[in-house]
Amino acid sequence: MDKDSFGEGAGQPRPPRDPGTPDFGQHVPALARTVQIVAGDFLLTVNPVDGSEIEPFPPGEAPAAPVRHTAEERAELQRAAQPPVPPGPPAPRLPLLERDEERERLVRLLGRGRSVRLSGPAGSGRSALLDTVADECATLAPDGVVRLNGLHRTPTDLLHELFAAVYKAPQRRPDRAGLLTHVREIGAIVVLDDLEFGGPSLAELLDAAPECAFLLAATPDVPAPGADAHLEEVGLTGLGRAASLDLLQRTVERPLTEDETNWAGDLWFESEGLPLRFVQAGALLRQCDELRADPEAFEAYAPYDAAEGNDVPLPSLGEGAAPAALLASRLSDSARETLRFAVALGGEVPHQAHLPALVGDTHADAALGELMSCGLLSPVGGRYRLAAGVPAQLTEKGYAEDAAAHAHTAAQHYAWWAGHPSVTPERAVAESDALLAALAALVPGTEAGHPSAAVLLARSAAPAFAAGMHWGAWERVLRVGSEAARIAGEVAEEAYFHHELGILALCTDSLDRARAELEASIALRGALADKNGTVAGRRALALVTDRENGLVPSVPATAVPAGKEAAPARQKEPSSPAKGAPANLPVPLAGLGASRAASSTTGTTPETLVASRTPVNGSTQKRRRPAALGSGRNLVAAGAGALLAVVLGTVVTLGATSDNQDPPSDKVGNGRSANQDEGQDGLTADEPENGSDDGPSDPSDVPDPSGAVTPGSSASTDGEEGPGGGVSPSRSEPGGESSSGKPKPTKTTPTRPPSSSEPPTTPPPTTTPPSSSEPPPTTTPPTTPGTPAEEDTSAGGPSESSGAPMTSSAPVSDPAEEPVI
C-alpha cells in the first residue's frame, strides 16, 4: 500500500477535491417522487408528501406476468449486488487453504439436490468458502446460483429477494399466495450467508422452495434446524499451524523471519487458527515494514527512536489476538473517524459516497480502502460491516465515547439524503441497514435520545423503503417512527405512521392489525381536522371491510360501466345452481332462473339484469352468505319464484285470450298502459278505470299479444285523452317514441318458463273483428303457459328474455336477502 495513505505527515497532502454534489439551495427543488406498486390485488401509490394511497387494481387490466431473467441478466444482477470496490489498488485475493475436503463435499451434496447447513465461528472463513462453492455450482441448476444474505432478514424478506433474483416483475410485489406459487417453480442453488434464524422459521423457508438446494452459513449460536428439516450438517473449524503460517506469509507478501514465525505460532494457539486473525496479523507486520522503511511514517505513533538504531518491535501476543486498536492507531484521521461512525451505528459502515459528508473530508472515501487492507471490515451482501470482534475491541479503547453525537450526525445526514427526490428507492434500500442503525440509536431511552430527529429520519426513509419494496425495513422504520412521534408530541406525524402501518398490514392480509392502525390514524387526523387524510384513511378502511367480507377487491362492481358487467361470465352461469347462488354474484330476482333456462334453450343471450352493486345513499352493502351455507333456502326460494312466475303468466295469458273473445274495453282504458308498476296490487289492466269508454276509439289501441306494436298503435299512453277519445299528440307515438322523438322504455312482466317435459302448445289464432273504417285485422297467436321464451308476450311488451331489461317489482327469490339493484 502507498505510504501516503498512513497518517497526515506521510508525503505531500493531496489538493482538496471539488464538491461531490451541487449546491441544491441555488436551484428549485425537484418534485417529490411518487411510485405505483402492484401489491397483490391492490394498486399502491407511494406518495412521500401526503402518504400512501391504496385501491383495488383497475378492472380489465392485468399486470404483466413475471418472466424469468436470462443468464446474462442474472449475472448482471449478481455483479450489481456485490459491495463497492474500495478506492486504491485492489487487494490480492487470498487462496482457500485446507478447505478442499469441505468444498468437494458441499459441491457433491448440492449437485444431488441436497440442502446443507455450514456452521463455523465468526472469522473462520465461511464467506470465502461460499464464494468458491458458488463459482463451481454455477451451471448445476436451471436458474443458476442465487446469492442472498440473511443478516437482519426474515424468511419473508428472503423469499421476496429470491423471487426478485429469478423473476423480472418491475414494480410488482406478489401477495403470499402468488409469492409461494412462483417460488415453488424456482430451481436454483441458493447460497445464504449470515443466517440468523432456525427452527420453524428455517423450515418455512425450505418448504417454500422445494426445488431449490440451499447452502446455509451460520454461526454456532444460531438456533439449530428442526429434526424434519432434512439438512446436512458441515462444520468448519480453524486452520492448522502450517496453513496459518502460509496464510500469514501470503498476506505479508514476503518470507517470515524466525521471530515472526515463533510469534505466529503463539498466535495460532491463542486464536485457534481463525483465518481472520492471521489476515489482521499480516496487516500488523506490513505496518512494521513501513516503519522500518520510513521511521517518520507515523508521527503520532513512534515507540522507538530511529536515530539510536532501535528496531521496530513485534506486537505483543495480546495485540496480535485483538489487533483492532493498534491497527487503527496507525491509520489516517479519516479512517479513524469512519471507525467511530461505524461503532456508533452498531458495526454498519456507511457507503463510501457518504463518508466525505459525514467525516468532513473530501478524501474520506479513501478510508474504506485502508480499513479493508487491515482486515477491519468484512463484506456483507452489498455493503461492509466491521469484522467480527472489531466493535468490542474499539469500544474498549474509547471509540464509543461520542457515539451519541455521531449517531445524531448520521441521522441528520440520512434524513436529508433519503428524502431528496434525486435518490432512487433502490439506492435507499442498499443503505437501509445503516439508516435503521442510525434510527435505532435515536429511539427514546437510548443515550442519544433525539425523538424529533428520529421522526424526521423515519418520515424521510419510509416512502423510499416502501417504493424499493424492502417492506421488512419499511415496517421497522414505521414502528420506530410512530413511537418517536408519540413521545415528541408530533400528532400529525404519528397519524401518518399509523396510516402507513395500516396500508402495510392490508397489503399483507393482516386485517385486524390494519383495522386497528387505520382507526387510530383516522382518529388522530380527525382531531387535527385533516380532511384529506381522513378521507384516505376511510377509503383504506373500506377496503379492509371488503376484504373481511370476502369480496374480490381486484374487480370492484363500482368500477364496471353499466351494461358491461361480466357478460361472458353470466353466459357460463348455470340456469339453476345446484348449491345455491355464487357468493360473488348479485342476488337473482324471482323467475330469473326460469328466464335463463329459456334463453339457454332458445340460444339467446340474457341481458345483464343488475347493472351495479353500488350501495344506495352510501349505505354499506350487506354481506351475502356463501353458497354452501344457504343452498337449501335458495332452492326453495327458486322454486317459489318459478311457481309465482307460472301464476303470473297464467293470469296474463287469460287476460290476453279474453281480449280476443270479448271487447277489451273493460280491461284497458284510453290513456293507460297495462303494466304492473303503476298499480298498487297486481296489474292495473285487470281493473277498469273510472271514466273510460266502453270500447277503444281506434282498434289500433288494442295491444298486440305478440308484444309488437302495429302501425298506428301506442305502446303506452301516459297523457290525457284528446278530443273524440283519441290520443293527444303529447302521448307516445308508434314505435314507442313520444312526440319529441325520444324513446320511452317499456315495462315488462315476468313470464312462465318453458317446460322441458311437455312440448309447447299453441291454440288456433283468433281474429279481432274489424270495423268498417278500420284496416284489415291482424292475426296474432295468443300466449299460453307453454309458449317458449322467445314467443312469450304480455300486455306490457316484450318479456325479459327477449332482450329488454327487467324492471318489474316481482318478489325476491330469497326473502332474507335484499336484492341489489
Side-chain angles (χ1 to χ4, degrees):
M1 175 176 293
D2 188 11
K3 65 180 181 180
D4 291 344
S5 60
F6 300 103
E8 294 181 347
Q12 296 297 328
R14 292 178 294 181
R17 297 178 180 175
D18 295 334
T21 56
D23 186 5
F24 292 102
Q26 300 177 359
H27 306 280
V28 178
L31 298 177
R33 184 191 301 270
T34 59
V35 179
Q36 283 190 338
I37 299 174
V38 180
D41 296 330
F42 299 105
L43 181 62
L44 177 64
T45 302
V46 180
N47 188 345
V49 179
D50 301 325
S52 301
E53 297 181 2
I54 188 171
E55 59 182 342
F57 196 80
E61 301 179 10
V67 295
R68 276 180 163 84
H69 291 294
T70 62
E72 294 77 11
E73 292 174 342
R74 290 198 305 267
E76 182 62 28
L77 290 175
Q78 291 294 334
R79 284 192 295 268
Q82 297 296 321
V85 179
R93 184 174 180 179
L94 298 176
L96 192 65
L97 303 177
E98 285 191 358
R99 301 301 188 202
D100 293 338
E101 182 180 355
E102 291 83 355
R103 176 183 55 82
E104 294 176 358
R105 183 181 178 187
L106 292 175
V107 173
R108 182 172 63 254
L109 291 174
L110 293 175
R112 297 176 181 176
R114 305 292 297 274
S115 296
V116 190
R117 183 175 184 264
L118 179 66
S119 59
S124 59
R126 291 177 289 111
S127 299
L129 179 59
L130 292 183
D131 292 339
T132 304
V133 174
D135 293 340
E136 295 188 12
C137 298
T139 59
L140 296 182
D143 292 320
V145 176
V146 177
R147 296 294 305 269
L148 301 177
N149 191 270
L151 189 64
H152 303 156
R153 298 296 190 271
T154 63
T156 302
D157 294 336
L158 294 175
L159 288 177
H160 279 283
E161 292 181 8
L162 176 60
F163 169 80
V166 177
Y167 288 98
K168 183 190 304 181
Q171 304 302 328
R172 182 178 182 183
R173 182 181 175 92
D175 55 6
R176 181 69 178 181
L179 175 66
L180 295 179
T181 300
H182 289 94
V183 170
R184 288 192 189 99
E185 299 177 356
I186 296 178
I189 294 178
V190 182
V191 179
L192 178 58
D193 199 1
D194 298 317
L195 182 68
E196 290 187 333
F197 55 84
S201 299
L202 182 57
E204 175 188 353
L205 176 65
L206 298 178
D207 294 341
E211 300 298 327
C212 293
F214 286 85
L215 175 56
L216 312 173
T219 55
D221 58 339
V222 175
D228 55 346
H230 304 291
L231 278 176
E232 297 286 342
E233 288 285 345
V234 176
L236 202 62
T237 59
L239 300 177
R241 180 186 175 90
S244 299
L245 295 179
D246 188 9
L247 180 61
L248 179 61
Q249 183 173 336
R250 291 173 182 269
T251 304
V252 181
E253 298 181 349
R254 63 171 176 81
L256 299 178
T257 63
E258 184 178 357
D259 293 339
E260 292 172 345
T261 302
N262 296 332
W263 176 78
D266 296 338
L267 180 62
W268 172 81
F269 181 80
E270 180 68 22
S271 64
E272 299 180 354
L274 294 180
L276 177 62
R277 294 292 177 262
F278 287 91
V279 172
Q280 296 171 346
L284 286 176
L285 295 182
R286 287 201 309 268
Q287 289 181 352
C288 293
D289 293 341
E290 293 289 341
L291 285 171
R292 296 187 184 100
D294 186 3
E296 298 180 357
F298 310 108
E299 292 182 352
Y301 183 81
Y304 67 98
D305 189 359
E308 297 181 359
N310 295 331
D311 194 7
V312 178
L314 288 174
S316 64
L317 186 59
E319 291 174 339
L326 181 58
L327 287 171
S329 64
R330 297 173 177 177
L331 299 178
S332 64
D333 291 340
S334 297
R336 288 195 295 268
E337 191 68 12
T338 301
L339 290 176
R340 291 186 176 92
F341 274 101
V343 171
L345 297 180
E348 293 290 340
V349 179
H351 192 275
Q352 60 188 15
H354 298 283
L355 293 179
L358 292 174
V359 175
D361 183 8
T362 56
H363 301 285
D365 55 346
L368 193 64
E370 295 183 49
L371 299 176
M372 279 295 298
S373 63
C374 294
L376 296 179
L377 301 184
S378 296
V380 178
R383 64 192 190 279
Y384 292 100
R385 281 181 57 89
L386 293 181
V390 173
Q393 299 172 25
L394 295 178
T395 302
E396 185 180 356
K397 295 299 182 179
Y399 277 78
E401 292 179 356
D402 298 331
H406 285 86
H408 191 203
T409 301
Q412 290 178 326
H413 168 76
Y414 281 128
W416 166 83
W417 176 78
H420 199 275
S422 63
V423 179
T424 62
E426 293 77 14
R427 184 68 190 88
V429 167
E431 202 74 8
S432 61
D433 291 274
L435 279 164
L436 291 172
L439 185 63
L442 298 179
V443 294
T446 59
E447 184 180 356
H450 296 283
S452 298
V455 171
L456 180 61
L457 177 57
R459 186 66 173 81
S460 302
F465 293 163
M469 288 184 287
H470 186 4
W471 286 10
W474 185 26
E475 182 177 3
R476 292 170 58 189
V477 76
L478 289 176
R479 296 197 178 279
V480 177
S482 176
E483 181 65 16
R486 183 186 64 82
I487 296 178
E490 302 184 18
V491 182
E493 301 300 336
E494 184 181 0
Y496 165 82
F497 291 125
H498 282 297
H499 176 80
E500 296 295 295
L501 284 171
I503 296 294
L504 174 60
L506 177 57
C507 292
T508 56
D509 278 339
S510 300
L511 301 183
D512 293 338
R513 190 176 66 187
R515 178 176 294 277
E517 297 289 351
L518 290 174
E519 288 177 351
S521 174
I522 292 172
L524 293 175
R525 285 176 168 174
L528 296 173
D530 184 0
K531 182 178 179 181
N532 294 334
T534 303
V535 170
R538 292 191 180 278
R539 288 177 179 174
L541 192 60
L543 290 180
V544 175
T545 303
D546 291 344
R547 179 73 87 174
E548 290 176 342
N549 292 340
L551 301 179
V552 181
S554 59
V555 189
T558 56
V560 183
K564 295 183 180 180
E565 183 181 352
R570 292 192 179 273
Q571 294 178 7
K572 298 179 181 180
E573 183 181 339
S575 59
S576 180
K579 295 184 179 181
N584 58 345
L585 295 178
V587 182
L589 301 178
L592 179 59
S595 62
R596 285 177 178 169
S599 62
S600 62
T601 304
T602 58
T604 60
T605 303
E607 293 289 334
T608 303
L609 301 180
V610 182
S612 176
R613 299 178 60 185
T614 306
V616 182
N617 298 329
S619 61
T620 304
Q621 184 176 348
K622 184 178 179 181
R623 180 182 178 184
R624 302 185 347 94
R625 68 176 61 188
L629 299 179
S631 59
R633 190 178 65 177
N634 290 338
L635 290 177
V636 174
L643 180 60
L644 180 59
V646 173
V647 174
L648 292 178
T650 304
V651 173
V652 174
T653 302
L654 292 178
T657 54
S658 62
D659 290 343
N660 295 328
Q661 297 176 0
D662 299 326
S665 59
D666 59 340
K667 298 297 181 182
V668 180
N670 293 334
R672 301 292 295 173
S673 61
N675 59 71
Q676 184 179 357
D677 294 337
E678 299 178 4
Q680 296 180 357
D681 297 323
L683 294 173
T684 57
D686 296 337
E687 300 177 359
E689 187 176 359
N690 295 334
S692 61
D693 298 336
D694 294 336
S697 60
D698 194 331
S700 62
D701 290 341
V702 180
D704 192 347
S706 63
V709 181
T710 58
S713 64
S714 176
S716 64
T717 57
D718 295 334
E720 298 179 355
E721 295 182 7
V727 180
S728 63
S730 62
R731 298 195 187 101
S732 301
E733 297 297 329
E737 297 181 356
S738 62
S739 60
S740 61
K742 297 181 179 181
K744 299 187 66 178
T746 60
K747 301 186 177 182
T748 63
T749 57
T751 58
R752 182 182 185 273
S755 175
S756 58
S757 60
E758 54 183 7
T761 57
T762 304
T766 59
T767 305
T768 304
S771 61
S772 59
S773 61
E774 294 174 354
T778 303
T779 302
T780 56
T783 304
T784 62
T787 306
E790 68 273 14
E791 299 178 1
D792 193 9
T793 57
S794 62
S799 63
E800 183 270 336
S801 61
S802 62
M806 187 174 187
T807 58
S808 65
S809 58
V812 186
S813 61
D814 191 349
E817 299 179 357
E818 299 176 2
V820 182
I821 300 178

